Amino acid sequence: MAARSSKITDQKTDHESSQESTVEEGALLFETTGKEKVYRYKDSILLSLPEGRNTLTTSWLNGGYREGLRAIFNHRVPKGKHAPKDLDGGSIPAYLSILAKRLAADPDTASGLLTAANMDNVSIVTRSFRGVEVTAVMTAGIEVNGGRVGDPASYYQEDGSHQFIQGTINTMLIIGANLPPYAMTRAVITATEAKTAALQQLMAPSRYSTGIATGSGTDMMAVVADGTSSLLLTDVGHHSKLGELIGKVVIECTLKALEMQSGLTPLSQRDVLVRLERFGIEENHYWKVASHMDGDNRKAAFFKTLREMSKNPVLVSATGSILHIVDEISWGLVPETAGRKVAVSIMKGLPEMLGIDTSIPFDELTDEKDTIIENWIRVTAWLAKNCDPEDICNSRT
């Protein structure tokens, strides 16, 4: 098995600068063993397909199941374009047709995905098993548009109207085997589950609720299968090796793309303040709570300690545990009263976990009648305001 990711930087050598016009025509980034080729243009990633490929895409242009497409592209919509009427051609299908021509592709045999992600931040991952190669080509950004399926809608679509909302995870999945149409639709399910699994691993927040994101509201996908292959695969679920390959490449590719586009990584999520974002808690909320507590009201010093303290792995671990209790209560998995009792017991164990010899007034700071998060904010705000920063800000494994 092999894995690969690609990030193109804006820095160019003198030779590259002299070849700028050639690069803009399309720079080859990757080629599969089946001869599918991935090219990078200024604002697009183009997947060039040999003859005999079958495709299933969510595109407005030649979307759905198709036979005989020769190109699929992923395009970054220019900034300032807020609706289809703002695009060249005045509609999304017309715009995609224009783009296909600009990329030297025939609009009749091309399909296109749209995003706001930077094409520099494309990720490519490939794996193989017994001659079956699976490759994912992705761009991803959910810092603005990350959402959990079932969140409140942003608009009601009618008569083909459409709104552009930034933040998209776009996936081009290339499978080096022949799949019947029904198996290709199953590949979409498996790849979508893999994308969601990657977001759950990162505890990526929804921007529309207190939930964990399952994707963005504008995600798009294209699946490519080799209709000329003598190898016919019909099972793309979790139990099949093909399903495993798809899951692994999409999870890895999603993580790499999010790191490059958004800086979203396991390390970036190792922060109490970041974990609390999805509940609408930020520094000023902490200060509002802390300013009414005993101690010196030095706002700048408080913020400095809070930011450093929030990266303490012990506090991050405690925060994760407490917020998971909150989630499980909301899902009906844990009775609220029991969940609150356990959460408060975790809070009262902080001195021992942090290795500090400080008397914390838990009777004043915690009340099982209040929400778990209200209690947690009071306790951690007190720590930031009253404890020695050396005791609570040092990283501990």
Side-chain angles (χ1 to χ4, degrees):
M1 294 185 182
R4 169 179 174 173
S5 67
S6 175
K7 179 176 180 180
I8 310 301
T9 67
D10 289 332
Q11 296 178 340
K12 300 181 177 65
T13 64
D14 291 340
H15 174 72
E16 288 172 324
S17 297
S18 68
Q19 299 295 321
E20 183 71 17
S21 60
T22 303
V23 171
E24 289 302 310
E25 292 177 2
L28 180 65
L29 296 182
F30 185 80
E31 182 175 354
T32 70
T33 57
K35 303 304 181 182
E36 291 92 353
K37 298 179 180 180
V38 181
Y39 294 91
R40 184 195 180 278
Y41 291 75
K42 180 180 179 182
D43 292 317
S44 301
I45 299 295
L46 176 74
L47 174 60
S48 176
L49 303 176
E51 291 184 355
R53 297 307 184 263
N54 302 327
T55 59
L56 182 64
T57 80
T58 58
S59 178
W60 292 265
L61 179 66
N62 297 316
Y65 177 75
R66 299 278 176 164
E67 297 180 358
L69 291 193
R70 300 302 304 274
I72 300 173
F73 56 88
N74 182 21
H75 173 75
R76 183 184 191 183
V77 177
K79 291 182 179 180
K81 307 296 183 181
H82 304 293
K85 62 182 178 61
D86 298 329
L87 300 171
D88 292 346
S91 71
I92 295 178
Y95 181 61
L96 291 172
S97 294
I98 293 170
L99 285 174
K101 293 177 182 177
R102 290 177 183 171
L103 298 171
D106 182 353
D108 292 333
T109 58
S111 190
L113 316 179
L114 297 177
T115 182
N118 192 323
M119 293 297 113
D120 288 350
N121 299 325
V122 62
S123 175
I124 303 173
V125 174
T126 186
R127 290 176 181 263
S128 61
F129 179 81
R130 292 186 180 178
V132 179
E133 184 179 80
V134 177
T135 302
V137 182
M138 298 180 68
T139 58
I142 58 166
E143 61 271 28
V144 175
N145 194 20
R148 185 174 183 82
V149 66
D151 278 351
S154 299
Y155 60 88
Y156 173 69
Q157 186 185 34
E158 194 171 59
D159 299 328
S161 62
H162 184 79
Q163 293 182 21
F164 291 149
I165 301 177
Q166 290 190 349
T168 301
I169 301 176
N170 279 352
T171 306
M172 293 189 284
L173 185 66
I174 310 158
I175 302 171
N178 189 6
L179 274 67
Y182 67 84
M184 294 180 70
T185 61
R186 187 63 179 85
V188 171
I189 295 174
T190 300
T192 301
E193 288 187 37
K195 171 196 69 179
T196 299
L199 296 178
Q200 289 179 335
Q201 286 178 203
L202 291 169
M203 296 298 291
S206 167
R207 302 302 181 182
Y208 303 94
S209 71
T210 61
I212 302 164
T214 56
S216 86
T218 54
D219 292 352
M220 301 188 73
M221 185 175 294
V223 176
V224 178
D226 184 357
T228 69
S229 175
S230 59
L231 181 60
L232 178 66
L233 299 179
T234 60
D235 188 350
V236 200
H238 298 170
H239 301 296
S240 70
K241 193 64 181 183
L242 178 56
E244 177 192 331
L245 291 175
I246 291 173
K248 286 182 174 178
V249 298
V250 173
I251 288 173
E252 183 177 349
C253 207
T254 302
L255 294 174
K256 289 178 181 291
L258 286 171
E259 178 178 3
M260 289 189 285
Q261 175 68 32
S262 307
L264 179 59
T265 67
L267 186 60
S268 75
Q269 294 297 87
R270 199 178 296 173
D271 188 309
V272 172
L273 291 171
V274 171
R275 295 295 187 91
L276 288 168
E277 274 185 12
R278 64 186 171 104
F279 295 94
I281 307 299
E282 38 76 40
E283 290 178 345
N284 287 326
H285 182 92
Y286 258 103
W287 174 245
K288 184 177 179 180
V289 173
S291 63
H292 296 289
M293 295 177 173
D294 291 339
D296 293 335
N297 279 335
R298 297 183 297 163
K299 189 174 182 179
F302 174 82
F303 280 159
K304 181 177 184 297
T305 300
L306 178 65
R307 291 165 190 163
E308 294 177 357
M309 179 186 85
S310 70
K311 292 177 171 50
N312 185 309
V314 171
L315 282 174
V316 175
S317 299
T319 302
S321 300
I322 284 172
L323 294 185
H324 192 65
I325 292 174
V326 173
D327 288 331
E328 293 217 358
I329 291 172
S330 71
W331 301 331
L333 297 177
V334 172
E336 186 170 1
T337 301
R340 288 183 179 184
K341 285 184 178 179
V342 173
V344 169
S345 71
I346 292 174
M347 298 177 203
K348 290 182 177 179
L350 282 177
E352 181 179 353
M353 288 187 282
L354 291 168
I356 59 176
D357 185 17
T358 302
S359 178
I360 301 174
F362 286 111
D363 290 342
E364 299 175 17
L365 298 174
T366 62
D367 188 336
E368 291 181 7
K369 295 180 181 179
D370 290 337
T371 68
I372 292 173
I373 292 179
E374 286 172 339
N375 283 317
W376 182 244
I377 298 306
R378 285 198 295 267
V379 169
T380 48
W382 190 94
L383 289 173
K385 188 173 185 180
N386 293 281
C387 285
D388 184 343
E390 288 294 321
D391 289 337
I392 58 173
C393 295
N394 292 332
S395 296
R396 297 161 190 255
T397 58

